[in-house]
Amino acid sequence: MRIVNVQLPERAYPIFIGKGTRRQLANLVHELGAGTRVAVIADQQVADLHLERAIEGLETSPTVMPFPAGESSKSLSQVERLYGELANARIARLDLIVTLGGGVAGDLGGFVAATWMRGVRFVQMPTTLLAAIDASIGGKTGVNHSAGKNLIGAFHQPMAVLVDLDFLETLQQRDYLAGLAESIKHAVVRDQALLEWHERHADEIVAREPEVLQELIARNCAIKAEVVARDEREENLRMILNHGHTIGHALEHLLSYELRHGECVGLGMIVENELARLRDMLADETAERVAELIERLGLPTRLPRALAAEEVAAACRLDKKLRRGAVHFILLKALGVPERVADISDDEIAAALRVVQPL
Ligand SMILES: NC(=O)c1ccc[n+]([C@@H]2O[C@H](COP(=O)([O-])OP(=O)(O)OC[C@H]3O[C@@H](n4cnc5c(N)ncnc54)[C@H](O)[C@@H]3O)[C@@H](O)[C@H]2O)c1
Ligand SMILES: [Zn+2]
């Protein structure tokens, strides 16, 4: 088992990574004291597979609150329904909420925990790779609104994150590979040695070799934890984690029924590196090297169908419509050297998009 600490200015919390880390939950509840009630907000699909093991060893049985799998559960109506269940179970300030599932469970359950009685303690049990290395760390929680994704939210840090590799085993290969895009992103913006490590272990990573997987998750958690610790509220440094995401979100908006978030981020990194290359900001070899790794890790390097450049440029702006100012890109100058760029033109987007258009 590996432990990575998230060292926030006010307090710290641990991320446990390994097979069987779910058993830490009983210890945590025990430490909170007798009489602590536990509510588990769980993705229904994940609960069917793993709930029994997730709560094994708890002294008193928790109240389980399943929600339907999928992004559409990140809604205020789901939040409202869960508040009702918390009221019925008499969950109060000093009790504990556990979230079980992927990023949707963490964002929805975390938001409920952040707002119920002005904030209840919570523990994340992420069960997708994306949630384990990204969404469950950093305290961003929230739900969607018809005006856009993640518009309603709160910062609320968990007490602990338990990444149990036993749960990740049932994750579909395509979802697993999609999660790897965030790992490549962490490596290129922050840790060149991690990029080299991905290249050396690419086959074992794709094969989900347990020791390599544990190492991959621990190294990613350390990067995300370090960035979040320095900039909890995303005023500055944390923005580097948006590399690949300005284009990625635009593609996701246009292709959400065809591609996963991580697949869009992989394509987004390729396009954004091309933007940087065309400006002579980034060396050709580096752009090629990242694209090659994306391909070796089984992620798409071309769009499933051609997209009009104007549509993509418009979708980039859509994301920023509600946030003041220009569209920002986090482009690479070199490995480990991201830079914020705000003056990308539609013509540049059109030129860069060509590298991912279908052949
Ligand atoms: N808060 C943050 O900082 C942050 C960061 C990145 C992404 N997110 C959010 O995360 C969400 C995406 O997360 P996701 O990709 O984990 O999606 P998800 O939670 O919808 O999970 C994807 C699918 O996998 C299934 N699943 C989950 N774990 C499984 C397992 N172990 N075995 C089998 N099936 C399993 C789920 O039922 C679901 O159908 C988005 O809503 C995004 O906005 C949040
Ligand atoms: Zn992402």
Side-chain angles (χ1 to χ4, degrees):
M1 181 171 78
R2 298 275 294 267
I3 303 176
V4 173
N5 279 305
V6 185
Q7 197 70 49
L8 296 168
E10 310 276 299
R11 59 189 199 89
Y13 62 88
I15 306 168
F16 296 92
I17 304 147
K19 282 171 105 40
T21 57
R22 59 183 178 278
R23 295 187 195 100
Q24 298 295 324
L25 182 63
N27 299 341
L28 284 163
V29 175
H30 188 77
E31 280 166 24
L32 291 178
T36 304
R37 293 193 183 85
V38 179
V40 184
I41 297 183
D43 176 311
Q44 178 73 66
Q45 223 159 275
V46 177
D48 290 346
L49 292 163
H50 302 300
L51 178 69
E52 235 170 83
R53 285 194 296 172
I55 59 175
E56 77 191 9
L58 288 186
E59 283 161 22
T60 23
S61 45
T63 309
V64 181
M65 305 175 180
F67 66 84
E71 184 71 25
S72 60
S73 281
K74 270 177 60 173
S75 68
L76 279 181
S77 57
Q78 206 54 243
V79 170
E80 168 79 20
R81 188 187 64 77
L82 290 166
Y83 288 154
E85 295 204 21
L86 290 172
N88 287 339
R90 293 187 294 128
I91 299 292
R93 203 71 172 281
L94 298 178
D95 292 323
L96 183 71
I97 290 177
V98 177
T99 65
L100 177 69
V104 167
D107 279 12
L108 168 68
F111 181 71
V112 167
T115 48
W116 180 246
M117 299 204 167
R118 298 191 186 85
V120 181
R121 297 186 277 217
F122 86 119
V123 167
Q124 299 256 35
M125 280 192 172
T127 63
T128 63
L129 183 62
L130 177 111
I133 68 174
D134 186 358
S136 69
I137 311 157
K140 275 206 226 169
T141 71
V143 297
N144 303 325
H145 184 267
S146 56
K149 262 195 78 162
N150 298 326
L151 288 178
I152 306 159
F155 284 97
H156 189 49
Q157 300 289 348
M159 276 183 66
V161 181
L162 312 182
V163 181
D164 195 324
L165 299 183
D166 290 338
F167 295 163
L168 261 69
E169 272 173 17
T170 54
L171 190 62
Q172 286 186 18
Q173 183 68 357
R174 186 173 171 190
D175 289 308
Y176 169 75
L177 296 176
L180 292 176
E182 306 289 355
S183 178
I184 300 171
K185 177 197 75 179
H186 285 151
V188 299
V189 298
R190 204 72 181 155
D191 186 350
Q192 188 168 347
L194 180 60
L195 191 82
E196 286 154 15
W197 182 87
H198 278 97
E199 291 168 335
R200 269 199 315 282
H201 297 285
D203 297 338
E204 295 138 282
I205 294 172
V206 172
R208 300 159 79 154
E209 208 272 295
E211 274 179 19
V212 168
L213 181 57
Q214 174 166 310
E215 172 82 10
L216 178 130
I217 294 173
R219 290 180 77 153
N220 274 284
C221 288
I223 293 174
K224 176 114 196 218
E226 184 247 351
V227 172
V228 166
R230 286 167 181 243
D231 178 23
E232 190 178 352
R233 305 237 155 194
E234 196 167 312
E235 280 146 359
N236 210 329
L237 178 70
R238 196 163 168 176
M239 273 179 225
I240 66 173
L241 301 179
N242 288 331
H243 174 60
H245 278 66
T246 306
I247 294 289
H249 280 147
L251 300 179
E252 198 177 356
H253 179 76
L254 298 167
L255 295 165
S256 58
Y257 295 104
E258 288 147 85
L259 292 184
R260 306 280 203 270
H261 171 76
E263 294 170 340
C264 293
V265 171
L267 289 162
M269 286 191 282
I270 294 174
V271 175
E272 292 182 10
N273 283 345
E274 182 68 1
L275 281 170
R277 203 185 65 81
L278 292 173
R279 283 191 164 203
D280 287 328
M281 238 176 101
L282 181 70
D284 299 358
E285 306 82 68
T286 312
E288 261 164 47
R289 186 173 166 193
V290 175
E292 242 169 62
L293 179 62
I294 290 171
E295 186 162 26
R296 277 189 75 196
L297 295 184
L299 286 157
T301 54
R302 298 217 172 247
L303 294 165
R305 60 185 165 86
L307 288 177
E310 309 81 69
E311 257 189 309
V312 175
C316 287
R317 279 190 288 274
L318 196 78
D319 206 34
K320 298 294 167 225
K321 191 172 62 178
L322 293 151
R323 293 161 203 159
R324 263 177 300 147
V327 180
H328 291 143
F329 290 82
I330 304 293
L331 301 185
L332 290 183
K333 283 170 82 174
L335 291 174
V337 192
E339 187 173 276
R340 191 162 148 203
V341 177
D343 63 343
I344 296 284
S345 69
D346 287 11
D347 287 346
E348 288 178 280
I349 294 179
L353 195 66
R354 286 195 200 111
V355 286
V356 297
Q357 293 287 14
L359 286 172

